[in-house]
Amino acid sequence: MTDAKPCPICQKPAVLAFKPFCSARCRQVDLGKWLTESYSVPAQPPGEEDDGA
Ligand SMILES: [Zn+2]
């Protein structure tokens, strides 16, 4: 069954339960990569976190 794309993290065959990854660990790795990137680029300047209209 080599129908699915390989895991983008480790290139192993993806598992349906963790699609498109092969395991929860690889999914976490990808998620962590995402979060790290967004943390390095702040969306708004700090100071106004409560926007009460
Ligand atoms: Zn993997």
Side-chain angles (χ1 to χ4, degrees):
M1 292 242 209
T2 48
D3 210 21
K5 292 179 181 176
C7 172
I9 302 300
C10 69
Q11 310 304 316
K12 285 181 186 172
V15 172
L16 196 66
F18 302 111
K19 222 175 169 186
F21 307 103
C22 72
S23 64
R25 188 172 150 269
C26 280
R27 191 172 57 183
Q28 283 297 319
V29 169
D30 190 73
L31 192 71
K33 219 165 55 176
W34 247 91
L35 291 174
T36 304
E37 281 174 19
S38 39
Y39 277 139
S40 64
V41 183
Q44 313 178 18
E48 277 190 305
E49 55 186 11
D50 188 33
D51 186 24

